[in-house]
Amino acid sequence: MLILLKGGRIVDPVNNRDGIGDLWIEDGRIVAPPAGRQPDQIHDVTGKIVMAGAIDIHSHIAGGNVNTARLLLPELHRADAPLQKVLPLASAKWSTFETGVRYAAMGFTTVIEPALAPHQALQGHLELSDVPILDKGALTILGNDDFLLSLLREGEKPGAIADYVAATLAATNGLGLKTINAGGATSFKYNVRAFGLDDAVPFYGTTSRKILEALQQAVDDLKIPHPLHLHANNLGIPGNVSTALATIEAARGKPLHLAHLQFYCYGDEGDHGFSSGAAAVAAAVNAAPNVTVDVGQSMFRQTVTISSDVLRQFNAVGQARPKKSVIFDADAEGGGVVPYHYRETEFANAVQWACGLELFLLIDDPWRVFFTTDHPNGAPFTTYPEVFALLMSREARAEAAARLPQAALAVTTLPSIAREYTLNEIAIMTRAAPAKLLGLKDRGHLGEGGLADVAVYSPDKDIAKMFGAAHLVFKDGDLVVRDGTVTHYRWGKTLKVNPGYDKAMDRRLSGYYDHHFGVSHNMFAVPEHILPRPDPFQEVECAQ
């Protein structure tokens, strides 16, 4: 079917396009205007804004921690609760299926689950396959597992570590590699309660820095498009701005992605011993072109924090709102679920809110700063339209800031920042740049040959309203959303890489699992035929 989107404002940074024009779609792809042919379907989008489908690179939408959160907070998931109070983890209203619906309504067509534990990969992929409309990918977690730490302790060469990373990505069908407080979860098992970049992991004699360097080198050697995705040490601790700066320096000029950086921008100055260090961190990011970041913006509302950083979550139990939590240990990361309510009247919460916005506004290059709330840790992903409004309007920021403790704003630079994001910058940050970072050449743009993942918005002075309900959304050329309501359901693919490796690593892993667990290491692999959707995977090419 030949489809014409006629007369819209096309915002496509990849192709340097921002102006009125037409967009043609055929067989799920963007095509050149066909000579002498009439469209089978015309959508008059005059006065509308046309962008590629949005891509979220970091959103916790599947896996054991997510399901534990659903079980922990049933009182917050009542079907009759007001929509704004319903958390995005309910088994009824916010199931995996509803997650796809909510994302699609906002114009998102690809979402990445950033924390897939290797031994829970099958469950994670089964859940992702139940998310409609969207294409999905998952980042596989390594960095606290005994096999890797033993390789480092024994002085194995980088090639063996790269083979192990590649074998794990292949078994778990991962799109990239994630490290969470490298060495910290393992140290927690030895009753360590604080763990920094150069602290030694008990028994293994390695440090977080060495783990980071080894995995960063492996990702580089394997030519995986997405750089190592790092959840650094000391998340959420006053004074951890020094950790962020040291971690950027530790990258040694090699590609590194820092996750939810807002949670590492805390100084310890002022009467409360808590202040914003976001300006210093933003300056360090600006000076390090090898580093990309996502923000993890916090917003004021009830949510729940979920993380495989079991050390951090254990230390946060006393801050739970409401007062209940789940902490569990495991063979590698473990995990923790701690509900939390960000409040406008709370000094620390106000500083956190300001820190995220400072990062967005002070990092110069929109190609290197990515739009996330670390869903659901900073806020549910449904708050994205509100955050867009804050970024695009200084007036909206001032109005929101006026409701906060002014002493909190005084320890930030936010009131002095005049920058307002343009539509082109929003399109870079949420479409073009994520596609580039993940190695997804077929999306994030509206050029010929690209996937027909397209979002059309109705301009409105109320920016949150505009981005909250897309006028039209196409997925692979299928019209799936009209005026913020899903009108057609379809199934997306799961994105993965498949780097080659020496198959001798499989024999080593087989012996390891047989010796330590008495099972085959293949029992944790994710065979494609088990997943319920036809043709569920799309391989992302590793650079040659």
Side-chain angles (χ1 to χ4, degrees):
M1 176 181 289
L2 184 62
I3 301 170
L4 170 62
L5 303 186
K6 185 176 180 60
R9 176 186 171 185
I10 297 177
V11 182
D12 180 14
V14 172
N15 294 290
N16 297 313
R17 192 175 180 187
D18 187 351
I20 306 303
D22 297 338
L23 193 71
W24 292 82
I25 298 171
E26 187 172 30
D27 297 330
R29 297 278 174 173
I30 308 295
V31 297
R37 294 179 58 193
Q38 294 299 312
D40 300 301
Q41 191 178 105
I42 299 176
H43 297 273
D44 186 351
V45 291
T46 303
K48 310 294 186 184
I49 297 164
V50 182
M51 295 182 175
I55 302 170
D56 190 343
I57 70 163
H58 189 114
S59 182
H60 298 277
I61 59 173
N65 285 338
V66 174
N67 287 315
T68 301
R70 290 189 177 109
L71 295 171
L72 181 66
L73 299 163
E75 72 276 16
L76 298 178
H77 305 317
R78 299 193 312 272
D80 61 344
L83 182 60
Q84 66 271 21
K85 293 185 179 180
V86 176
L87 284 182
L89 295 167
S91 58
K93 294 292 289 181
W94 283 69
S95 61
T96 49
F97 191 90
E98 187 72 10
T99 294
V101 171
R102 298 284 175 143
Y103 263 114
M106 298 188 298
F108 281 77
T109 52
T110 303
V111 177
I112 306 303
E113 160 56 54
L116 184 69
H119 291 175
Q120 298 177 15
L122 177 58
Q123 175 190 335
H125 277 294
L126 287 169
E127 291 179 42
L128 290 174
S129 69
D130 193 49
V131 176
I133 303 172
L134 310 176
D135 288 342
K136 291 82 56 176
L139 304 180
T140 302
I141 308 169
L142 290 177
N144 280 285
D145 45 302
D146 173 70
F147 192 89
L148 172 67
L149 298 181
S150 296
L151 291 178
L152 293 172
R153 181 186 58 202
E154 293 157 13
E156 290 274 1
K157 294 181 179 180
I161 295 172
D163 285 338
Y164 173 55
V165 169
T168 306
L169 287 173
T172 59
N173 290 299
L175 180 61
L177 186 65
K178 171 77 171 290
T179 296
I180 299 175
N181 194 0
T186 299
S187 298
F188 180 76
K189 303 179 198 308
Y190 293 88
N191 292 319
V192 171
R193 295 296 177 262
F195 190 76
L197 188 62
D198 291 306
D199 290 335
V201 183
F203 182 67
Y204 296 96
T206 190
T207 65
S208 191
R209 183 188 296 269
K210 291 179 181 177
I211 298 168
L212 162 62
E213 290 176 350
L215 292 177
Q216 193 179 17
Q217 183 65 52
V219 170
D220 189 47
D221 290 344
L222 294 168
K223 307 301 181 187
I224 296 168
H226 184 42
L228 179 65
H229 195 104
L230 179 64
H231 168 130
N233 316 109
N234 295 326
L235 182 145
I237 298 173
N240 67 4
V241 61
S242 61
T243 298
L245 298 176
T247 303
I248 291 171
E249 184 178 353
R252 299 162 297 134
K254 292 186 177 181
L256 180 68
H257 182 84
L258 295 175
H260 39 67
L261 189 58
Q262 177 272 130
F263 290 104
Y264 300 94
C265 287
Y266 306 153
D268 52 9
E269 300 174 356
D271 295 339
H272 292 77
F274 192 73
S275 59
S276 170
V281 174
V285 172
N286 287 334
N290 58 302
V291 171
T292 56
V293 309
D294 63 79
V295 170
Q297 177 67 38
S298 65
M299 297 291 280
F300 301 112
R301 64 200 62 217
Q302 177 70 54
T303 189
V304 58
T305 65
I306 58 177
S307 179
S308 295
D309 189 347
V310 63
L311 188 157
R312 164 57 191 162
Q313 292 297 82
F314 177 82
N315 290 337
V317 165
Q319 300 173 340
R321 302 172 182 166
K323 292 293 184 182
K324 54 181 174 178
S325 58
V326 175
I327 304 294
F328 60 92
D329 204 359
D331 57 309
E333 273 73 23
V337 178
V338 182
Y340 193 75
H341 189 177
Y342 293 93
R343 299 169 177 168
E344 288 184 332
T345 55
E346 183 83 20
F347 178 94
N349 294 163
V351 173
Q352 290 177 289
W353 176 85
C355 281
L357 294 175
E358 287 178 283
L359 287 177
F360 275 124
L361 297 165
L362 293 175
I363 295 175
D364 297 329
D365 187 357
W367 288 89
R368 295 198 293 120
V369 57
F370 296 87
F371 187 90
T372 67
T373 60
D374 187 20
H375 164 83
N377 292 297
F381 67 79
T382 47
T383 61
Y384 287 2
E386 299 171 49
V387 185
F388 288 137
L390 293 171
L391 296 179
M392 297 183 72
S393 170
R394 185 182 185 187
E395 181 180 347
R397 293 198 298 273
E399 189 177 302
R403 299 191 296 268
L404 307 182
Q406 295 307 295
L409 292 176
V411 296
T412 78
T413 65
L414 185 62
S416 67
I417 303 175
R419 180 183 177 186
E420 295 178 327
Y421 268 68
T422 65
L423 276 173
N424 192 68
E425 288 175 320
I426 293 293
I428 291 172
M429 182 173 59
T430 60
R431 275 88 172 163
K436 179 181 179 182
L437 184 75
L438 296 166
L440 304 174
K441 299 177 182 180
D442 61 355
R443 67 198 71 201
H445 64 89
L446 297 174
E448 293 176 24
L451 282 182
D453 288 2
V454 183
V456 180
Y457 299 99
S458 300
D460 199 298
K461 290 183 179 179
D462 185 340
I463 297 171
K465 178 181 178 182
M466 178 178 81
F467 282 111
H471 172 58
L472 301 173
V473 179
F474 294 83
K475 179 70 187 87
D476 293 336
D478 285 349
L479 180 61
V480 293
V481 170
R482 186 184 291 274
D483 295 325
T485 300
V486 172
T487 57
H488 172 65
Y489 292 94
R490 51 167 290 134
W491 300 105
K493 285 183 165 54
T494 296
L495 308 164
K496 68 171 184 175
V497 293
N498 190 23
Y501 64 96
D502 186 341
K503 301 306 178 184
M505 180 53 65
D506 287 335
R507 294 190 292 274
R508 290 187 67 173
L509 286 169
S510 179
Y512 174 85
Y513 276 88
D514 181 63
H515 175 74
H516 288 282
F517 304 109
V519 299
S520 167
H521 78 289
N522 289 325
M523 74 175 292
F524 297 108
V526 184
E528 187 168 347
H529 70 272
I530 288 181
L531 301 183
R533 310 296 174 203
D535 302 321
F537 290 118
Q538 174 184 325
E539 283 193 13
V540 177
E541 182 179 355
C542 293
Q544 300 299 317

